[in-house]
Every structure is written in C-alpha cells, then in structure tokens.
C-alpha cells in the first residue's frame, strides 16, 4: 500500500490532534536546556556530554517506539524511504509537533509489493536527512564559544531517540547531526543511515 | 485567510502557546533522572579525587574518617567511601531541584508578562496555586493552608507528575521514587517564587500517592 507523503502528513496531524496530554513546549525546552547545562557541569567534557545525550535518547527511543506503534497502528514500513517519511511526518509530529523535511538518498529498493514479506532490499547505505526548521529543544538557547569549540551537539538526544526507536523495529542505523543552527550553520540537519536490518528474513508463513 | 487586521496583529503579538506531547516530557524526565544519577556520580568522584590529590599534596588537612559518619552504614567496606545510595540520591535530588528552579524562574517570567504587580505574599501564593499550577500541571491546587506568619501548605490530591508512578517492586518503592521525582516540581515552585522576588524554601512531602503537599516558607519581612 503506497501511502503518499501527503497521507502521512494527514496521519501525523490527526495523531497530534487526538493527543489529550499536551504541555507547553517552553516547559519542555527549559527542562532540556537545564539538563544539558547540568550534564556539562558534571562531565566538563563536551564529547562525553554528546555521548550521554545520545545514550539518554537511545533509552527514550526504545520506549517511545512502542508508544508510537500503539498510537499510530501503522504497519511495517516497506523500505527505508518510507521509514524516513513516517519518522518525519508522523513520528516527529505526534511527539514534538514539528514536521522536519526529509531528503532521501541511496539506491531506492525495488518497488515494494504489498505482501507481508519484508524486502531485505533497503540497501545498507541508504539514508535520509531530516531538516528541522524548528527545534523545540533549542528554544531560547545560545551556545557559548566554549561549547562551539568543544563540539557540542545540543540536541543530540534526538539522534539517540531515532537510533533506539529504529533498533526496536529491527533496523540498525547510524544517526548523526550534520549541522545545527545553534552552531551558526544554515540549518539543522540530522542524517540517518541504514547500516543493516537486524533480522535477515521474516519467514513467509510465520506471522 | 480573511482575518480582521486587529486579530491578525493580536495573534502576531501574542501567539498561541506551542505545545509538545506530554508523553515526550515524561520520557525525558524518566531518562533525565537516570542520566543525572550517572553524571552526579561522575562529578562527585571527580571532586573526591581532587580532594584526595589536595590532601596528598598537603594543601588541606585530611577529612575526618568515615567511621564517625555513618554508624549504621554497615555495608560500606572501603574506608574512604562514606556514600551509599542515600548520598547518590542527594546528588540527583539537588540537581533535579536546580533544574526545577531554572524552569520555574524562566517560565514564571513569561506567565507574569501581562499581570499587574503582586500586592503581597498571599497574592503570590495564590498565583502559584492557580496560574502556575494550571500551566504546569493542568489543574489548581486543592487545598491551601497558612499560619499567616509566612508558612503556606499547598495540597494537591492528585499531583500530576506522580500520578503515574508505579513500581514492580511495590508501593514502598514507588513512594521512594516519587519522593525523588518530586524534587523537580519543588524546584519549579521555588524558582518561580525566587524570580518574583521571594526567596523562600519549598519542602515537598508525600505520604500516600498520588497526594502531595508542599510546605512553603517565605521570609518574615514580606
């Protein structure tokens, strides 16, 4: 079932609207900001803080994906391209109320047939880039020179969330920031690269 | 979109609050506590190392031995290790409170933007019980008591941050965790009061979940 990008956007909007428990995003931003500052004070090493944020994100992601699958009742993505679409238009929308734009790259797999067998065709190496025009985590934030020089990726938790969530659905990915407006770059970009599928084959008669 | 100019400008000047999903915040807080536990251990290990280095260099006198400090801590075997889980929790608790203070102070600035000045401390407390509570936790405080001498007790019978705490280890464990988690909201209240100009203390207390009381002590001259 080829769900178009527009349909995913609509699904994301609906999910967001149906959420009953919403909080002011400023509270969220302030909490995250204070947390990053505390971690910087404790570790005194920006690379280590990046790592810890990623790890924190990973733990969050492993829980978040279940919440996401329960709410959205979307089926398995047929290829990595679809993963990118779903993550951006449904995932980010339903949790953070933002819709990053997705740019795909890497050899597109053979066309997805609407059967239940998983194509292990998403070529390892294919990737997508999420461009965030707004980032609720980084509201009110300015990085001091020290942090810029130290290489801090302020919103690194997002990388961990993506990695953790996708690992729970059998994809091993590498997620990294390419640029961040907090660092003075033009845009905030996260690249997600598929390393491999964790389950090589889903036996046909087995679901 | 055919909006009258006045309302369009109004929306520009006062945009509706951006929201994020409550679950995202919950997950963040859960993992934040874990992350802070690790980071506070790292920080205190580093501080202890510096202290040890300074002692070895003869710059400070050696600290009193562990023996006197925790007579009931029979599990500690190494002489330098005074800390146990209690100490570790204290590190997390104080960090949570500090984060809360940052949140409370900055958030209350936004909340108070269109408000007139506060007339007295009771007015401030009422603001906390109504506006702050609603913005953060979707309801108002259920009960406010005061001794009219600077001590206020705010009671919330279903305090949102702890309503969903449960532990597979049982009620007692859940209660213990709740007591730790509630340091963040206490910090929010304290930070809010401080930014308004009242340096007080906020002590949270939980006897049965999900009910929570906060005892606020404001300085006498207000």
């Amino acid at each position: 079932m080829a769900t178009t990008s527009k349909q995913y956007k609509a699904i994301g909007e609906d999910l967001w609207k149906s959420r009953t428990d919403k909080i002011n995003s400023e509270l969220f931003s302030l909490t995250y900001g204070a947390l990053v500052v505390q971690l910087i004070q404790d570790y005194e090493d920006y690379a280590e803080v990046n790592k810890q944020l990623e790890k924190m994100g990973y733990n969050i992601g492993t829980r978040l994906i279940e919440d996401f699958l329960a709410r959205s009742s979307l089926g398995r993505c047929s290829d990595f391209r679809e993963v990118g679409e779903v993550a951006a238009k449904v995932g980010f929308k339903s949790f953070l109320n933002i819709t990053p734009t997705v740019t795909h790259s890497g050899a597109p797999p053979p066309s997805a047939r609407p059967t239940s067998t998983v194509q292990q065709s998403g070529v390892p190496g294919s990737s997508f880039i999420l461009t965030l025009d707004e980032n609720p985590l980084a509201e009110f934030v300015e990085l001091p020179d020290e942090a810029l020089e130290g290489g801090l990726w302020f919103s690194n938790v997002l990388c961990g969330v993506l990695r953790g969530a996708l690992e729970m659905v059998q994809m091993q990915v590498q997620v990294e920031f390419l640029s961040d407006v907090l660092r003075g770059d033009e845009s905030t970009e996260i690249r997600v690269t598929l390393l491999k599928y964790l389950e090589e084959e889903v036996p046909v008669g087995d679901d | 979109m055919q909006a009258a100019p006045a309302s369009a400008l109004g929306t520009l000047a006062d945009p509706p609050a951006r929201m994020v999903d409550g679950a995202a915040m919950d997950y963040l807080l859960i993992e934040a506590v874990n992350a802070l536990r690790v980071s506070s251990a790292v920080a205190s290990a580093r501080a202890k190392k510096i202290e040890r280095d300074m002692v070895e260099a003869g710059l400070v006198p050696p600290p009193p031995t562990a023996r006197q400090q925790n007579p009931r801590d029979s599990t500690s075997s190494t002489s330098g290790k005074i800390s146990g889980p209690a100490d570790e929790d204290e590190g997390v608790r104080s960090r949570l409170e500090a984060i809360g203070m940052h949140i409370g102070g900055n958030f209350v600035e936004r909340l108070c933007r269109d408000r007139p000045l506060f007339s007295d401390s009771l007015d401030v407390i009422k603001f906390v019980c109504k506006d702050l509570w609603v913005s953060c936790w979707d309801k108002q405080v259920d009960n406010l008591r005061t001794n009219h001498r600077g001590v206020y007790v705010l009671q919330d019978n279903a305090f949102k941050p702890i309503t969903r705490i449960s532990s597979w280890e049982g009620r007692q464990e859940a209660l213990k965790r709740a007591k730790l988690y509630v340091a963040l909201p206490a910090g929010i209240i304290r930070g809010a009061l401080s930014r308004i100009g009242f340096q007080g203390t906020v002590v949270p207390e939980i006897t049965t979940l999900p009910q929570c009381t906060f005892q606020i002590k404001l300085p006498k001259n207000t």
Side-chain angles (χ1 to χ4, degrees):
Chain A
M1 193 177 333
T3 320
T4 64
S5 181
K6 226 195 236 160
Q7 284 171 299
Y8 277 132
K9 205 155 181 193
I11 295 175
E13 292 275 346
D14 283 338
L15 274 181
W16 172 249
K17 286 206 190 86
S18 67
R19 287 306 289 163
T20 47
D21 186 20
K22 294 184 192 151
I23 58 160
N24 195 319
S25 81
E26 286 176 12
L27 277 179
F28 191 63
S29 320
L30 291 170
T31 310
Y32 184 71
L35 177 67
V36 175
V37 167
Q38 183 63 66
L39 289 178
I40 293 173
Q41 284 173 353
D42 284 341
Y43 287 105
E44 291 183 0
D45 172 3
Y46 291 104
E48 186 63 34
V49 173
N50 282 342
K51 223 173 78 180
Q52 292 299 322
L53 288 174
E54 211 271 350
K55 196 164 121 188
M56 207 172 88
Y58 178 82
N59 292 332
I60 295 176
T62 55
R63 296 175 191 248
L64 204 92
I65 184 70
E66 294 188 29
D67 192 330
F68 176 70
L69 291 173
R71 296 182 199 188
S72 67
S73 50
L74 284 173
R76 203 184 268 257
C77 287
S78 50
D79 57 26
F80 200 60
R81 189 190 179 84
E82 203 170 336
V83 172
E85 292 289 321
V86 172
K89 299 197 165 53
V90 192
F92 271 87
K93 179 67 182 173
S94 60
F95 287 107
L96 295 179
N97 197 19
I98 56 173
T99 318
T101 43
V102 201
T103 333
H104 302 275
S105 58
S111 59
R113 294 176 160 277
T115 63
S116 57
T117 49
V118 172
Q119 310 275 350
Q120 53 271 42
S121 54
V123 179
S126 41
S127 65
F128 59 85
I129 294 181
L130 296 167
T131 311
L132 281 68
D133 347 279
E134 46 182 345
N135 183 358
L137 293 174
E139 291 285 314
F140 322 129
V141 176
E142 247 179 54
L143 292 183
D145 292 326
E146 219 181 63
L148 293 170
E149 283 161 29
L152 178 72
W153 290 116
F154 186 79
S155 314
N156 215 28
V157 74
L158 294 174
C159 296
V161 171
L162 284 164
R163 183 171 73 92
L166 291 176
E167 191 171 302
M168 291 295 116
V169 286
Q170 262 72 50
M171 280 173 266
Q172 190 172 64
V173 295
Q174 183 187 4
V175 189
E176 57 196 352
F177 264 93
L178 296 176
S179 61
D180 192 353
V181 293
L182 290 178
R183 284 209 187 184
D185 299 320
E186 291 276 313
S187 58
T188 307
E189 293 181 332
I190 302 177
R191 181 174 58 203
V192 184
T193 316
L194 177 65
L195 296 176
K196 66 174 197 227
Y197 284 104
L198 292 172
E199 240 176 29
E200 285 310 313
E201 269 169 21
V202 176
V204 175
D206 217 19
D207 315 80
Chain B
M1 197 164 359
Q2 205 72 328
S7 68
L9 269 182
T11 318
L12 205 65
D14 205 0
R18 262 203 97 53
M19 310 293 262
V20 295
D21 190 34
M25 178 73 149
D26 290 338
Y27 293 128
L28 178 67
L29 285 175
I30 294 170
E31 287 308 320
V33 173
N34 295 334
L36 287 173
R37 199 166 271 136
V38 176
S39 78
S40 86
V42 167
S44 63
R46 190 175 57 234
K48 290 208 172 82
K49 179 171 186 312
I50 292 178
E51 202 182 302
R52 269 202 310 274
D53 289 346
M54 285 180 29
V55 168
E56 274 163 35
L59 293 166
V60 296
T65 55
R67 242 147 290 275
Q68 315 158 260
Q69 261 156 335
N70 248 346
R72 45 184 191 81
D73 194 9
S74 55
T75 55
S76 68
S77 49
T78 52
S79 58
K81 206 165 160 53
I82 328 165
S83 64
D87 210 38
E88 192 181 273
D89 264 10
E90 185 50 41
V92 180
R93 215 199 50 78
S94 64
R95 280 164 173 74
L96 284 175
E97 193 177 10
I99 290 177
M101 288 190 66
H102 174 93
I103 299 172
N106 290 310
F107 194 59
V108 92
E109 275 185 13
R110 316 272 290 174
L111 278 181
C112 288
R113 194 188 66 179
D114 295 321
R115 232 191 149 284
L117 277 180
F118 290 104
S119 42
D120 61 10
S121 54
L122 186 60
D123 204 23
V124 174
I125 296 290
K126 288 209 278 214
F127 168 80
V128 166
C129 294
K130 296 200 190 127
D131 300 287
L132 185 69
W133 230 262
V134 165
S135 308
C136 294
W137 304 302
D138 295 330
K139 66 188 282 282
Q140 295 189 5
V141 157
D142 293 311
N143 196 333
L144 169 65
R145 295 194 296 278
T146 173
N147 69 356
H148 295 291
R149 279 196 286 268
V151 180
Y152 301 86
V153 177
L154 282 62
Q155 183 177 321
D156 190 332
N157 295 327
F159 191 50
K160 187 161 178 245
I162 55 172
T163 45
R164 295 209 213 115
I165 289 196
S166 67
S167 172
W168 56 274
E169 290 162 62
R171 260 301 150 98
Q172 283 304 100
E173 189 59 33
L175 194 62
K176 210 177 83 164
R177 303 283 175 123
K179 288 186 180 165
L180 181 63
Y181 284 107
V182 93
L184 187 92
I188 292 180
I189 300 167
R190 190 164 170 208
L193 289 170
S194 151
R195 197 63 67 94
I196 291 176
F198 292 83
Q199 310 299 331
T201 57
V202 179
V203 177
E205 210 178 284
I206 311 178
T207 33
T208 41
L209 291 169
Q211 197 186 73
C212 185
T213 59
F214 292 90
Q215 193 192 63
I216 302 180
K217 280 209 182 90
L218 293 180
K220 285 307 284 297
N221 56 358
T222 47

